[in-house]
Amino acid sequence: MEHIQHLLPWSAMGTERQLSVFRFGQGPRKAYIQASLHADELPGMRVAVALKARLRELEQQGRLNGVIELVPVANPIGLAQMFQGTHQGRFEFSSGKNFNRDFPQLADAVAPRIDGQLTQDADANVALIRAAMGEAIAALPAAQSETEGLRRLLLQHACDADLVLDLHCDFEGVMLLYAIPQHWAQIRPLAARLEAGAVLLADDSGGKAFDESCSLPWVQLAERFPQVPVPLACVASTLELRGMTDTDREPSIACAEQILAYLADQGLIAGDWPPVPGECCDATPFAATQYAYAPHAGVVSFLQAVGARVRVGDPLFEVLDPLTDRHSVVHATTDGLLYARERLRFAQPGLWLAKVAGTQVLRQGRLLTD
Ligand SMILES: [Zn+2]
């Protein structure tokens, strides 16, 4: 195991922060796994603890056939953001920006570097594009903030991987994966192993999140150079590892084992692993998710459990204003799975309270909220 440490730029004088990357194994293929980019989403960090212990063991046994880079603390900036006893790891305090948005978009920067050099050799094209991605990141002007520097370091480590897993969680939620539709066949065994409740697919969710900043440049370069083979060489997925409090020991260790088994499916780890379960949820469009909002302020009572199957018209939650006695019930507008609930029980304008994964497209434009 190699421990790579990067210094983040732009700390206040007298302080500094580091990003730690743990690198295991060697070989032609590479997986990159990071946890807790939203720093208060700790299930991923707990799973990363289990992954780190097991990868060390597997490396000592000589069972790693590829490179696996693990970043168990992807956001040391957000991890330090405690506000009066509450952890706030989603938005950077100084800018208000979501830590998982606005990653560098590599296709435009890479295209001129590879123009005229691509051939009919798909593997050579992949190698050329990966090298150009690294050069493009290195050639960016100096980072304007600590967070911008962090985003570049994360992308720099991930962009040359065959597989990228970004471990997040919801407030309260089921096991869920996001990916681009082109990668569903490759992601399906992972969803089956994780016993995911839902898989949400989108061509481009908007917001320049980390996973799509790894996968989409390949789609865009393939469109830009149609005369040569450009494979979609980076399979990237955001994993929502249930809810914020789901850091229990046994499920976390089980989750790490399921991820390792998938890495073995991908040829990165040798040995015997449990077979991929036959059962798997269907993938559905991210645009087919209902984000349910309250019509007014009040205290919230949920009327459905996380993981409930609902039909159009089923009550999702009620909102009660004790001053005016106003009482509203918010219903499902689609048949589907209630896959996430807000943690707060206080309804506020503009903040969703429940999310339902359906099959009929309900939303368009930018799909990700902040
Ligand atoms: Zn997150």
Side-chain angles (χ1 to χ4, degrees):
M1 182 188 82
E2 187 187 351
H3 182 183
I4 304 161
Q5 286 172 295
H6 298 282
L7 200 59
L8 298 187
W10 276 100
S11 296
M13 297 90 76
T15 68
E16 60 180 35
R17 288 197 180 91
Q18 289 185 335
L19 179 74
S20 279
V21 180
F22 297 92
R23 195 169 204 267
F24 302 87
Q26 49 191 325
R29 287 175 61 73
K30 174 177 168 181
Y32 171 91
I33 304 172
Q34 72 177 24
S36 306
L37 175 57
H38 288 142
D40 50 356
E41 298 176 3
L42 296 170
M45 192 181 293
R46 180 62 187 88
V47 168
V49 169
L51 283 172
K52 189 176 170 203
R54 285 286 280 134
L55 286 168
R56 202 185 263 145
E57 211 173 83
L58 290 162
E59 187 176 54
Q60 280 162 6
Q61 294 165 359
R63 288 172 65 188
L64 299 186
N65 294 333
V67 173
I68 298 162
E69 286 186 350
L70 178 68
V71 181
V73 179
N75 184 358
I77 304 166
L79 203 58
Q81 291 187 168
M82 295 298 288
F83 181 70
Q84 297 175 347
T86 309
H87 200 179
Q88 304 284 344
R90 186 174 185 83
F91 303 99
E92 187 193 30
F93 273 170
S94 61
S95 69
K97 296 277 178 65
N98 188 320
F99 283 109
N100 190 21
R101 302 289 183 271
D102 302 317
F103 276 85
Q105 301 299 290
L106 292 175
D108 283 346
V110 163
R113 292 174 181 273
I114 59 172
D115 200 4
Q117 295 185 64
L118 296 165
T119 66
Q120 293 304 317
D121 183 338
D123 291 342
N125 291 344
V126 170
L128 181 75
I129 290 168
R130 285 181 175 158
M133 285 175 166
E135 290 164 15
I137 294 171
L140 289 170
Q144 295 298 301
S145 70
E146 196 177 21
T147 297
E148 193 175 27
L150 173 68
R151 288 191 185 111
R152 286 184 196 176
L153 284 169
L154 297 174
L155 190 62
Q156 178 195 315
H157 274 276
C159 71
D160 63 352
D162 301 281
L163 174 70
V164 170
L165 302 180
D166 191 11
L167 309 185
H168 288 247
C169 69
D170 221 308
F171 296 118
E172 299 175 352
V174 304
M175 180 70 73
L176 180 146
L177 289 81
Y178 291 98
I180 59 172
Q182 296 92 328
H183 285 153
W184 169 224
Q186 284 135 297
I187 288 294
R188 191 181 184 282
L190 178 61
R193 287 192 180 280
L194 291 169
E195 298 170 45
V199 176
L200 301 179
L201 304 178
D203 290 314
D204 184 351
S205 307
K208 302 169 188 168
F210 180 74
D211 58 347
E212 290 183 353
S213 300
C214 295
S215 58
L216 281 183
W218 297 91
V219 177
Q220 291 154 356
L221 291 169
E223 283 167 3
R224 215 173 286 198
F225 299 101
Q227 67 281 13
V228 289
V230 176
L232 307 188
C234 184
V235 175
S237 178
T238 292
L239 278 57
E240 304 285 355
L241 305 178
R242 304 190 172 90
M244 285 181 132
T245 59
D246 291 319
T247 58
D248 284 355
R249 176 192 163 96
E250 295 310 323
S252 300
I253 290 172
C255 179
E257 287 302 307
Q258 289 158 343
I259 290 172
L260 291 169
Y262 178 66
L263 297 184
D265 297 339
Q266 302 299 306
L268 286 150
I269 307 177
D272 291 330
W273 296 86
V276 181
E279 291 270 299
C280 185
C281 67
D282 291 329
T284 53
F286 187 18
T289 51
Q290 175 193 358
Y291 278 42
Y293 296 85
H296 56 86
V299 59
V300 173
S301 296
F302 283 110
L303 303 173
Q304 302 284 346
V306 168
R309 290 256 158 220
V310 297
R311 308 290 305 251
V312 172
D314 284 351
L316 298 176
F317 56 87
E318 57 183 353
V319 187
L320 305 113
D321 177 340
L323 302 180
T324 64
D325 299 329
R326 190 172 174 191
H327 171 222
S328 303
V329 178
V330 173
H331 300 89
T333 57
T334 184
D335 295 351
L337 179 83
L338 189 149
Y339 67 91
R341 300 195 316 196
E342 168 59 271
R343 179 181 40 164
L344 285 180
R345 268 42 175 175
F346 179 59
Q348 299 173 84
L351 290 185
W352 62 267
L353 283 156
K355 296 191 271 195
V356 180
T359 54
Q360 306 300 316
V361 169
L362 301 170
R363 302 188 298 133
Q364 51 196 342
R366 180 170 162 156
L367 298 172
L368 282 173
T369 54
D370 263 346

